Amino acid sequence: MFRVLGNRKVTPNAHEMIVEAPEVARKAQAGQFALLMVNEHSERIPYTLSDWDKEAGSVTFIVLEVGKSTSDFVRLQPGDEVAHVTGPLGMPLEVDNFGTVALIGGCYGLGGVVPVGRTMKAAGNRVITFVEARMEGMHYYLDKYESFSDEVVQTTTDGSNGIKGHGVDILEARLKEGVQVDRVFAVGCPFMMMITAQLTQPYEIKTFAALNPIMLDGTGMCGACRCTVGEETKFACVDGPFFDAHLVDWHELRDRRAAYIRIERDVCK
Amino acid sequence: MIEAARCLACKKPKCVAGCPVNIDIPSFLHLIEEGKFVEAAQKIKETNPLPAVCGRVCPQEEQCEKVCVLTIKHESVAIGRLERFAADYERNAGKIKLPEIAEKTGKNVAIVGAGPAGLCVAGDLIIAGHEVTVFEALQKPGGVLMYGIPDFRLPEEIINAEVQTLSDLGVNFRYDYVVGRNDTIPEMLAGDFDAVFIGSGAGLPSFQGIPGENLIGVFSANEYLTRANLMKAYRFPEYDTPPIEAGHVTTIGGGNVAMDSARTALRLGSRSTIVYRRAREQMPARDEEIHHAEEEGIKFNLLTNPTKILGNSRREVIGMECIRMELGEPDDSGRRRPVPIEGSEFEIECDAVVVAIGNKPNPLIPQTMEGLELTRWGTVVTEEHTMQTSVEGVYAGGDIVSGAATVISAMGQGKVAARAMDHYLRTGKNPDPPPPPPPPKEKSKKKKE
Ligand SMILES: Cc1cc2nc3c(=O)[nH]c(=O)nc-3n(C[C@H](O)[C@H](O)[C@H](O)COP(=O)(O)OP(=O)(O)OC[C@H]3O[C@@H](n4cnc5c(N)ncnc54)[C@H](O)[C@@H]3O)c2cc1C
Ligand SMILES: Cc1cc2nc3c(=O)[nH]c(=O)nc-3n(C[C@H](O)[C@H](O)[C@H](O)COP(=O)(O)OP(=O)(O)OC[C@H]3O[C@@H](n4cnc5c(N)ncnc54)[C@H](O)[C@@H]3O)c2cc1C
Ligand code: SF4
Ligand code: SF4
Ligand code: FES
């Protein structure tokens, strides 16, 4: 069993969940995720590893409450147990000194960019972190971003905090000013990652996005997570989750993620 | 008992040679004939740790029963059914007796995968006195037995009971553990373990590469069956994983996996059709399974090859375009090759497609260890008398070695590996010369009940 060590509400619909999972913490690398089952009847749900502590044997997830599985998870309190945590899964991110790296995080990606930023900084990159949220009060982890970023840019879509607009809009403005960016990493909802990819394409900046298709086993056995990347079918759980964002078929990803919406909604009623 | 009595107790029983784990068939049949059902089950377990499973899923008609001398004149003894009966009797009577364990050696063995190959090695090596830990990626044991083969053919309780016996013997099971992502095999060998057995199966689904395969409503058989079996989607919303709701499911393929998928579709309330590109005689599925499928009302579209899966604007499956085939010249496998009949394209309306055309080995383990020799199909190369891989101390068996095969062949390879591993753990060497197949010996029987 895996004990819940912490549950903190970071925005009205997102929780920072800390779970005891020593085997996951021991091996975790930036870019990876874990699968979690709250109880024996639960779905196997993937969550990005947003932090881990090898000594304490714990891992941290940012969980956005969207449906049954995520709300079952965030309802747990310290001392409660989850039935299964499997991980780390997925390919670790390729880390190198690329020069200047831009991170774009939205939704749960506000947590997901943290390990990416840390390893990129440790590899000698200049790191600019763009974090976007809908409105004021939805930003968190600023101290974490400060610890690895040369610059943190906060945006809100309604302008109530930081700059008004999407993270990518600001990135675009910077690029137009002639700021040199060598790599972009985007973690968040498919729409945000897609527009990021569309924006960086004309500038020919290598851009990587963490794809989030529906998953089942997370070990390459079922193929539920297949995505089209550069005309090829890839299994996001073993070949990814990070892929070259310019090659991803974003519309397919969006549609495939919607596969169970109808039936899931019925059960939440 | 009457059925068991038909056995002639041949001096050189062919049936035993036909069974990949060489069960002492005449002896256990004799025990059944005498009404000693528990003893019969124990007799079987001397060589086969999973009789309740094998009695159900073995292709007996191709193995032990095929070569039974009675087939020359009549029908063979129903060995598989009797094996199943004895094992079920023992389990239901609560009379499962644990075999004795040899003196502890202090050696540690890691087993990758809790499928039939891994379970078989675990059983043999714990009895031989070694410490055994099984690492399984999923949340439950059994491999394909649990996530693939449906409950109506192999109930989950049976797998759990067999695994419970192994736990009682002292086998340590670690679930949610992905070897290669958690510790790699080299790390295991450098750490606590003296030898490793790879029984990771063939779990990477193949697709045909036709247009439309990534539409919503196209599933690999693994996904379709895993949702139903492992995740219990048919009990949604009691279980959280949503089931696949479809009016008409079309399954592509002609093997056992296709039959299981098509029969599962019926049970999930869908109409069910199988599309297979060769003729009925060439279907790799067991005859018995094809019969069941036909009786249950599954429609067969033979000599039919899908060319395209059709979708609507929301990317949902609405049908499949197929072409009729006819049999041409024999191919490498000796089967007559199906060739498309020009202009015979037609459409099948359906809202889900299950692709059951085979699995390949998962590359995770070879990717995370150096020096593991592979074939060009990605299976692991082993020495056939020991199942040792190209890496010392690392053995492999089951579908990861032979490609998608059978439960009992996976266990047969597990047996061979366990024997070699026991020798290696005790002496640091592989057995040499290769051990001859064990003759059906009359072991000193432990009498107790
Ligand atoms: C690699 C990866 C990393 C992810 N990291 C995070 C994270 O750190 N934090 C976070 O909050 N969310 C993360 N997600 C998304 C998260 O898995 C889904 O939000 C979650 O499964 C929703 O389940 P639900 O039952 O609460 O909602 P549902 O009502 O079931 O579904 C809501 C939406 O979530 C998606 N979804 C449903 N089931 C799955 C599934 N089994 N696998 C993936 N997506 C699914 C679908 O698009 C669906 O429309 C990640 C997804 C992937 C693939
Ligand atoms: C639907 C279906 C029906 C079948 N019907 C029959 C039948 O009727 N009769 C018959 O004889 N055969 C049948 N088979 C074939 C038979 O099930 C297989 O040949 C047999 O299960 C192979 O056993 P195995 O131990 O090699 O592998 P598997 O059963 O595949 O088990 C491998 C296990 O290893 C785990 N694993 C993989 N990688 C890792 C890793 N890196 N770390 C940890 N764990 C890992 C997997 O999760 C899995 O649990 C069927 C197969 C399918 C798919
Ligand atoms: S294990 Fe299979 S092949 Fe062997 S005797 Fe039993 S049914 Fe026959
Ligand atoms: S071959 Fe048939 S008759 Fe002979 S021992 Fe085996 S089961 Fe009995
Ligand atoms: S989730 Fe099953 S293959 Fe990726």
Side-chain angles (χ1 to χ4, degrees):
Chain A
M1 284 294 216
F2 304 83
R3 223 154 25 105
V4 174
L5 302 175
N7 176 349
R8 179 169 70 100
K9 205 167 187 173
V10 288
T11 75
N13 72 341
H15 291 241
E16 176 194 66
M17 303 293 297
I18 305 179
V19 180
E20 188 174 50
E23 290 294 345
V24 185
R26 203 159 63 81
K27 284 286 183 157
Q29 293 181 61
Q32 293 185 300
F33 63 96
L35 274 168
L36 187 140
M37 285 178 78
V38 171
N39 59 51
E40 297 297 341
H41 288 204
S42 301
E43 285 184 88
R44 296 167 62 90
I45 297 292
Y47 297 104
T48 309
L49 291 163
S50 81
D51 208 344
W52 51 87
D53 181 336
K54 288 188 176 34
E55 257 100 79
S58 66
V59 294
T60 303
F61 305 109
I62 290 297
V63 180
L64 231 59
E65 209 179 324
V66 294
K68 168 103 171 47
S69 304
T70 44
S71 37
D72 283 352
F73 186 22
V74 302
R75 224 174 287 134
L76 299 181
Q77 292 305 317
D80 290 345
E81 286 177 337
V82 299
H84 300 277
V85 182
T86 314
L89 298 170
M91 288 291 225
L93 207 53
E94 180 203 343
V95 183
D96 206 341
N97 189 346
F98 301 109
T100 300
V101 162
L103 308 179
I104 305 198
C107 330
Y108 62 80
L110 294 184
V113 294
V114 170
V116 181
R118 270 196 203 133
T119 46
M120 291 302 157
K121 185 69 202 171
N125 291 284
R126 191 179 127 75
V127 177
I128 314 177
T129 305
F130 297 86
V131 284
E132 69 173 48
R134 227 163 344 115
M135 54 188 165
E136 181 161 22
M138 305 269 288
H139 287 116
Y140 47 93
Y141 276 175
L142 286 174
D143 47 334
K144 287 200 183 187
Y145 304 141
E146 299 289 353
S147 73
F148 58 76
S149 309
D150 295 275
E151 189 187 348
V152 181
V153 182
Q154 294 185 58
T155 71
T156 43
T157 17
D158 71 352
S160 53
N161 183 29
I163 308 173
K164 183 169 159 61
H166 287 290
V168 275
D169 300 336
I170 321 300
L171 173 65
E172 178 169 35
R174 293 294 172 84
L175 292 174
K176 282 197 175 133
E177 287 164 19
V179 173
Q180 166 80 20
V181 172
D182 303 289
R183 250 189 210 208
V184 176
F185 296 94
V187 188
C189 67
F191 177 73
M192 180 278 273
M193 295 192 286
M194 177 181 78
I195 56 174
T196 304
Q198 285 167 349
L199 182 125
T200 58
Q201 189 140 31
Y203 293 90
E204 294 181 8
I205 306 171
K206 270 264 180 229
T207 300
F208 287 84
L211 302 197
N212 46 9
I214 290 177
M215 293 189 176
L216 186 56
D217 64 301
T219 67
M221 180 270 279
C222 76
C225 62
R226 38 197 211 286
C227 297
T228 305
V229 182
E231 319 269 291
E232 262 184 80
T233 294
K234 297 279 186 190
F235 290 5
C237 69
V238 284
D239 301 324
F242 276 93
F243 289 101
D244 184 333
H246 296 152
L247 301 178
V248 170
D249 182 339
W250 291 102
H251 295 293
E252 178 185 273
L253 177 70
R254 179 199 59 199
D255 290 347
R256 283 186 65 85
R257 276 172 55 87
Y260 295 98
I261 288 223
R262 189 173 39 82
I263 173 163
E264 290 270 3
R265 241 183 239 145
D266 291 346
V267 77
C268 284
K269 266 186 210 149
Chain B
M1 284 192 246
I2 297 172
E3 177 64 21
R6 287 181 54 223
C7 170
L8 306 171
C10 309
K11 281 244 165 51
K12 284 192 190 138
K14 288 206 171 151
C15 55
V16 178
C19 168
V21 296
N22 306 120
I23 291 181
D24 186 350
I25 295 168
S27 301
F28 99 72
L29 291 178
H30 185 69
L31 287 165
I32 291 184
E33 191 189 336
E34 291 185 337
K36 294 183 181 160
F37 305 139
V38 175
E39 286 85 344
Q42 279 155 10
K43 185 86 221 155
I44 301 169
K45 282 196 180 166
E46 283 174 14
T47 39
N48 178 356
L50 308 176
V53 173
C54 294
R56 287 182 166 77
V57 303
C58 249
Q60 295 104 7
E61 67 283 0
E62 291 293 324
Q63 299 177 356
C64 53
E65 295 178 8
K66 183 179 185 181
V67 292
C68 171
V69 293
L70 290 177
T71 46
I72 300 170
K73 287 209 183 127
H74 316 275
E75 252 187 89
S76 86
V77 179
I79 303 171
R81 278 175 198 279
L82 290 166
E83 176 174 353
R84 163 180 170 173
F85 162 76
D88 289 353
Y89 181 89
E90 183 197 28
R91 190 181 61 256
N92 294 333
K95 286 188 179 147
I96 295 189
K97 190 171 127 256
L98 299 180
E100 272 158 45
I101 291 184
E103 198 179 319
K104 286 286 174 194
T105 60
K107 299 288 184 184
N108 278 306
V109 184
I111 290 175
V112 184
L119 294 177
C120 184
V121 177
D124 283 8
L125 290 182
I126 197 89
I127 292 172
H130 310 289
E131 297 300 336
V132 179
T133 308
V134 178
F135 294 93
E136 169 54 51
L138 297 174
Q139 77 269 25
K140 287 183 189 173
V144 169
L145 306 181
M146 182 67 80
Y147 74 71
I149 300 179
D151 247 33
F152 57 81
R153 220 148 59 78
L154 180 61
E156 180 175 338
E157 307 88 76
I158 292 186
I159 306 159
N160 289 338
E162 310 262 27
V163 170
Q164 187 57 47
T165 311
L166 293 176
S167 299
D168 293 344
L169 285 168
V171 176
N172 181 15
F173 283 90
R174 296 279 305 270
Y175 300 108
D176 311 312
Y177 196 103
V178 183
V179 176
R181 289 274 179 253
N182 296 109
D183 273 347
T184 61
I185 289 178
E187 285 166 331
M188 290 178 150
L189 287 170
D192 295 340
F193 295 100
D194 303 297
V196 177
F197 175 80
I198 309 174
S200 55
L204 190 74
S206 302
F207 289 87
Q208 278 187 303
I210 57 174
E213 271 178 341
N214 288 356
L215 291 170
I216 297 167
V218 183
F219 308 93
S220 74
N222 284 358
E223 178 181 357
Y224 192 72
L225 291 167
T226 299
R227 282 183 183 277
N229 300 326
L230 181 73
M231 305 308 292
K232 306 256 177 285
Y234 59 89
R235 282 161 70 182
F236 183 85
E238 179 195 347
Y239 283 74
D240 294 344
T241 301
I244 288 151
E245 285 187 341
H248 184 199
V249 177
T250 304
T251 302
I252 306 173
N256 288 326
V257 184
M259 300 306 137
D260 281 345
S261 306
R263 292 176 68 194
T264 299
L266 279 186
R267 284 164 178 77
L268 292 176
S270 308
R271 271 189 305 131
S272 180
T273 299
I274 283 181
V275 169
Y276 179 55
R277 67 197 178 102
R278 299 178 190 255
R280 153 111 200 212
E281 312 65 72
Q282 298 169 312
M283 280 195 157
R286 294 178 62 188
D287 272 342
E288 188 184 325
E289 297 303 325
I290 302 173
H291 279 305
H292 283 307
E294 279 173 339
E295 274 167 22
E296 287 170 7
I298 289 163
K299 189 163 170 252
F300 284 75
N301 254 309
L302 302 174
L303 286 167
T304 301
N305 204 21
T307 47
K308 189 179 180 183
I309 300 167
L310 310 166
N312 63 16
S313 60
R314 286 190 303 272
R315 238 180 266 264
E316 295 159 345
V317 170
I318 52 169
M320 187 155 77
E321 189 186 278
C322 300
I323 189 160
R324 299 254 184 241
M325 311 290 275
E326 61 190 350
L327 292 178
E329 295 298 306
D331 63 9
D332 299 345
S333 70
R335 295 189 294 182
R336 290 177 65 194
R337 187 200 311 270
V339 284
I341 304 172
E342 227 172 290
S344 68
E345 289 87 351
F346 68 103
E347 281 177 21
I348 297 174
E349 263 182 52
C350 60
D351 44 9
V353 173
V354 177
V355 183
I357 59 166
N359 287 313
K360 292 171 292 209
N362 191 316
L364 180 59
I365 288 177
Q367 274 168 7
T368 52
M369 71 182 288
E370 265 176 43
L372 188 69
E373 204 186 317
L374 302 181
T375 66
R376 66 189 164 99
W377 298 279
T379 50
V380 174
V381 175
T382 52
E383 196 285 307
E384 64 173 323
H385 299 294
T386 58
M387 301 312 288
Q388 197 198 14
T389 66
S390 54
V391 178
E392 194 192 321
V394 180
Y395 299 75
D399 284 1
I400 184 72
V401 170
S402 42
T406 60
V407 173
I408 194 68
S409 68
M411 291 177 46
Q413 293 183 345
K415 290 250 143 213
V416 175
R419 208 180 305 140
M421 290 173 83
D422 179 41
H423 192 90
Y424 172 78
L425 290 165
R426 288 172 189 277
T427 64
K429 289 194 300 263
N430 275 317
D432 180 51
K441 57 199 162 189
E442 189 53 44
K443 267 206 352 206
S444 61
K445 252 184 286 162
K446 304 154 222 153
K447 258 190 248 131
K448 212 186 109 188
E449 212 215 282

